[in-house]
């Protein structure tokens, strides 16, 4: 039987790895600029970190990779998202007592969800996310949105849209829940089985249903904005005004509720509107959470806000707009070894090149001149160093400038000095 990669997972092959690295580097640079530090939490956590009481989200109820090892009662879960682990760590490490709040962190790495694989939807995918934890200020809501928008813009994306909504505070959300329950009651029989569960646990999530989405009664459902108390309205207005002050374009979508249950106040998504994107067009999503820090045993009055972007989806969105990130760079030098006796001499030269910062490689196959020269071309090397027994005996090398098609024979002691002048 042939061995195959599991469904919904992917290898990042060598050619693509440069685009990944360029993306990772860009994300880190932006976090550095905005003063966010990296946090690395475990890939698996105790199941109760993710599975919280009365959580109605699909992710928690249907998509988690949960396991218990033999001879153990401990249930562990491969992380499906980054926020819960980060907040767990914030509380466990008492970061809430830091003199400087908010504590600003970012993370990057694989997430695991047992979903039906499709383009842009995988079982192992990578997220990059930020969390801004501790105090609550509309300025931090806006900071996180500006950071998200700036990253995507800097990568060259044009076909993107920021969608924004508020879920208000607990009181507003409770009133809205009651209104939604009353509204959906007559349609209960018609709702999909997931929505029947959502109706009991968190009727807001019915608005996020992908099955019943187009039904007439979905479109006419009550709107969150009519249930916001004054405080929540004011908070949202401040966020909107600040975004306008900074010229960040956005659209308010009052049916945007987001897939996770812990959100309150500001929620947002950045969507690619490019035609090539298909159904999985949400690249980045996030929001504020008022109750998560206290849920994990931290102080009552602390709030947080964060977002995560799907790195695979971002790469698809970039591709859809014809944007390429880094490709594999060529070598500085390729050492051609033309006589078996000269191999160690050539290997020493190669080692010296590398010690001096020249990205280089050599032929280990003892191919003929033609074969090695093809390898030079494939490696996109700027220089080929030709070494045979003649060069070895006279302690020299022949260096060929590939672009200029010129070559010189120089003393081995002068190689680095020569290349330094060529690369100036
Ligand atoms: P969706 O509605 O697409 O299922 P979600 O609400 O489950 O998204 P979040 O949990 O908010 O998504 O995750 C943030 C981002 O992570 C998404 O906007 C998306 O870019 C990415 N993402 C989520 N699930 C997957 C997946 N299975 N495969 C690839 N990327 C994903
Ligand atoms: Mg999902």
């Amino acid at each position: 039987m042939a061995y195959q990669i599991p469904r919904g997972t992917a290898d990042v092959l060598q050619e693509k790895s440069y685009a990944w690295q360029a993306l990772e580097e860009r994300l880190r640079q932006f976090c550095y600029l905005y003063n966010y530090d990296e946090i690395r939490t475990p890939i698996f956590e105790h199941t109760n970190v993710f599975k919280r009481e009365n959580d109605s989200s699909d992710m928690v109820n249907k998509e988690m990779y949960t396991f218990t090892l033999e001879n153990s009662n401990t249930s562990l879960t491969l992380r499906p998202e980054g926020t819960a682990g980060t907040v767990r760590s914030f509380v466990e490490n008492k970061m809430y007592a830091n003199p400087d709040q908010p504590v600003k962190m970012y993370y990057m790495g694989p997430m695991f969800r047992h979903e039906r694989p499709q383009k842009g939807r995988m079982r192992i995918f990578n997220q990059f996310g930020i969390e801004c934890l501790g105090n609550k200020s509309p300025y931090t809501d806006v900071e996180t949105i500006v950071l998200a928008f700036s990253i995507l813009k800097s990568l060259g994306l044009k076909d993107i849209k920021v969608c924004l909504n508020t879920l208000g505070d607990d009181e507003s959300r409770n009133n809205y829940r009651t209104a939604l329950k009353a509204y959906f009651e007559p349609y209960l029989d018609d709702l999909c089985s997931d929505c029947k569960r959502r109706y009991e646990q968190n009727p807001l999530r019915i608005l996020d249903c992908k099955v019943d989405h187009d039904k007439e009664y979905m479109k006419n459902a009550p709107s969150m904005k009519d249930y916001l108390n004054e405080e929540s309205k004011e908070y949202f207005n401040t966020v909107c005004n600040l975004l306008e002050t900074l010229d960040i374009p956005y659209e308010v979508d009052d049916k945007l509720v987001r897939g996770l249950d812990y959100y309150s106040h500001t929620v947002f998504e950045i969507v690619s509107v490019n035609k090539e994107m298909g159904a999985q067009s949400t690249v980045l999503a996030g929001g504020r959470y008022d109750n998560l820090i206290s849920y994990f045993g931290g102080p009552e009055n602390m709030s947080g806000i964060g977002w995560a972007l799907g790195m695979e989806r971002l790469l698809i969105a970039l591709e859809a707009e014809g944007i390429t990130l880094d490709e594999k760079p060529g070598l500085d030098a390729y050492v051609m070894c033309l006589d078996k006796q000269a191999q160690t001499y050539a290997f020493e030269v190669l080692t010296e090149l590398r010690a001096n910062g020249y990205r280089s490689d050599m032929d280990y196959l003892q191919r003929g001149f033609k074969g090695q020269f093809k390898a030079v071309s494939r490696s996109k090397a700027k220089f080929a160093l030709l070494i045979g027994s003649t060069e070895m005996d006279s302690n020299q090398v022949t260096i060929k400038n590939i672009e200029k098609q010129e070559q010189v024979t120089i003393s081995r002691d002068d190689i680095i000095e020569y290349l330094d002048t060529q690369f100036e």
Side-chain angles (χ1 to χ4, degrees):
M1 190 194 88
Y3 291 103
Q4 285 183 336
I5 197 168
R7 229 161 85 76
T9 70
D11 296 315
V12 174
L13 297 182
Q14 297 95 313
E15 313 88 80
K16 268 272 172 183
S17 70
Y18 288 89
W20 276 87
Q21 288 173 19
L23 176 60
E24 288 161 8
E25 179 58 27
R26 182 70 60 91
L27 295 165
R28 287 185 195 281
Q29 277 168 357
F30 266 94
C31 284
Y32 187 71
L33 189 65
Y34 280 67
N35 196 26
Y36 284 69
D37 299 315
E38 185 177 11
I39 180 164
R40 301 186 188 200
T41 61
I43 301 256
F44 58 74
E45 298 261 1
H46 289 127
T47 298
N48 65 5
V49 168
F50 305 112
K51 198 175 175 64
R52 290 174 297 273
E53 283 151 36
N54 214 25
D55 193 302
S56 70
S57 67
D58 285 354
M59 189 195 81
V60 168
N61 286 282
K62 302 197 302 197
E63 299 170 0
M64 296 209 305
Y65 284 93
T66 295
F67 59 96
T68 310
L69 295 184
E70 236 176 287
N71 303 324
S72 163
N73 298 321
T74 312
S75 173
L76 297 167
T77 294
L78 298 182
R79 65 180 185 193
E81 52 115 351
T83 303
T86 306
V87 176
R88 192 261 317 130
S89 178
F90 176 85
V91 175
E92 195 169 346
N93 292 293
K94 300 194 173 54
M95 292 182 217
Y96 51 76
N98 281 10
D100 296 312
Q101 300 287 339
V103 174
K104 307 200 289 186
M105 296 175 272
Y106 75 89
Y107 60 83
M108 180 155 41
M111 304 295 162
F112 306 80
R113 299 186 192 178
H114 193 264
E115 306 204 61
R116 195 168 67 78
Q118 315 159 46
K119 182 181 176 192
R121 191 176 293 287
M122 309 181 63
R123 291 181 171 169
I124 303 183
F125 61 99
N126 287 273
Q127 277 187 346
F128 173 89
I130 65 158
E131 307 294 344
C132 179
L133 302 182
N135 70 333
K136 181 161 156 190
S137 151
Y139 287 92
T140 58
D141 297 51
V142 174
E143 173 175 295
T144 57
I145 296 170
V146 174
L147 173 52
F149 188 73
S150 307
I151 288 172
L152 299 185
K153 277 282 158 190
S154 95
L155 289 164
L157 285 178
K158 293 196 175 64
D159 307 339
I160 52 173
K161 194 168 85 176
V162 180
C163 304
L164 189 68
N165 193 22
T166 178
L167 302 178
D169 60 6
D170 291 347
E171 182 188 74
S172 310
R173 230 166 27 262
N174 281 337
N175 291 338
Y176 184 44
R177 264 192 209 120
T178 312
L180 280 177
K181 276 193 121 162
Y183 175 82
F184 281 117
E185 202 186 340
Y187 307 108
L188 248 180
D189 287 343
D190 191 59
L191 291 175
C192 74
S193 59
D194 283 330
C195 280
K196 289 192 176 95
R197 170 171 53 81
R198 292 171 185 144
Y199 180 86
E200 293 305 330
Q201 287 184 319
N202 184 2
L204 258 74
R205 294 290 331 283
I206 298 176
L207 301 174
D208 205 25
C209 180
K210 307 218 161 65
V211 182
D212 293 327
H213 193 259
D214 289 329
K215 302 243 166 86
E216 200 56 32
Y217 59 77
M218 284 294 208
K219 293 177 188 152
N220 298 329
S223 192
M224 180 75 232
K225 65 177 183 299
D226 299 324
Y227 295 85
L228 295 173
N229 58 20
E230 279 311 310
E231 223 183 303
S232 301
K233 254 187 229 165
E234 199 186 306
Y235 194 92
F236 191 55
N237 282 339
T238 312
V239 170
C240 293
N241 290 337
L242 279 171
L243 287 171
E244 274 152 44
T245 307
L246 300 181
D247 281 332
I248 306 291
Y250 68 90
E251 286 174 24
V252 174
D253 171 358
D254 62 22
K255 295 279 156 55
L256 180 68
V257 292
R258 298 293 315 123
L260 304 172
D261 260 10
Y262 45 60
Y263 288 119
S264 40
H265 288 286
T266 317
V267 288
F268 52 92
E269 286 186 351
I270 301 185
V271 179
S272 168
V273 293
N274 190 287
K275 293 187 296 291
E276 311 280 303
M277 275 307 276
Q280 271 55 253
S281 59
T282 305
V283 172
L284 180 151
R288 178 166 286 289
Y289 34 89
D290 276 346
N291 302 320
L292 208 51
I293 294 175
S294 62
Y295 183 92
F296 281 107
E300 279 303 323
N301 52 356
M302 276 195 161
S303 177
I305 183 158
W307 52 253
L309 70 78
M311 296 175 76
E312 286 82 357
R313 267 192 217 178
L314 175 53
L315 290 169
I316 294 173
L318 287 166
E319 200 174 313
E321 294 197 30
I323 300 165
T324 44
L325 298 177
D326 290 17
E327 283 162 9
K328 180 172 170 146
L331 293 181
D332 295 326
Y334 191 98
V335 178
M336 294 169 65
C337 177
L338 304 165
D339 281 310
K340 195 169 178 344
Q341 311 89 284
Q343 212 174 5
T344 303
Y345 177 75
F347 194 53
E348 280 172 352
V349 169
L350 173 69
T351 306
E352 191 184 344
L353 289 173
R354 289 171 172 170
N356 284 278
Y358 287 107
R359 174 173 149 76
S360 42
D361 212 340
M362 74 177 269
D363 174 79
Y364 290 124
L365 294 172
Q366 292 159 39
R367 286 171 290 197
F369 183 87
K370 246 180 145 177
Q372 290 198 37
F373 212 71
K374 279 187 186 153
V376 171
S377 162
R378 280 193 298 273
S379 77
K380 301 195 188 86
K382 296 189 185 70
F383 290 87
L385 275 64
L386 284 70
I387 293 176
S389 17
T390 325
E391 279 81 5
M392 181 177 72
D393 294 341
S394 56
N395 202 39
Q396 289 184 312
V397 294
T398 298
I399 302 186
K400 186 179 173 94
N401 182 322
I402 303 293
E403 199 196 343
K404 294 191 182 146
Q405 289 291 313
E406 292 166 3
Q407 68 180 51
V408 290
T409 300
I410 57 171
S411 159
R412 187 198 149 163
D413 302 334
D414 297 336
I415 299 174
I416 299 304
E417 205 185 303
Y418 176 79
L419 286 177
D420 286 351
T421 60
Q422 297 294 306
F423 274 93
E424 249 170 15

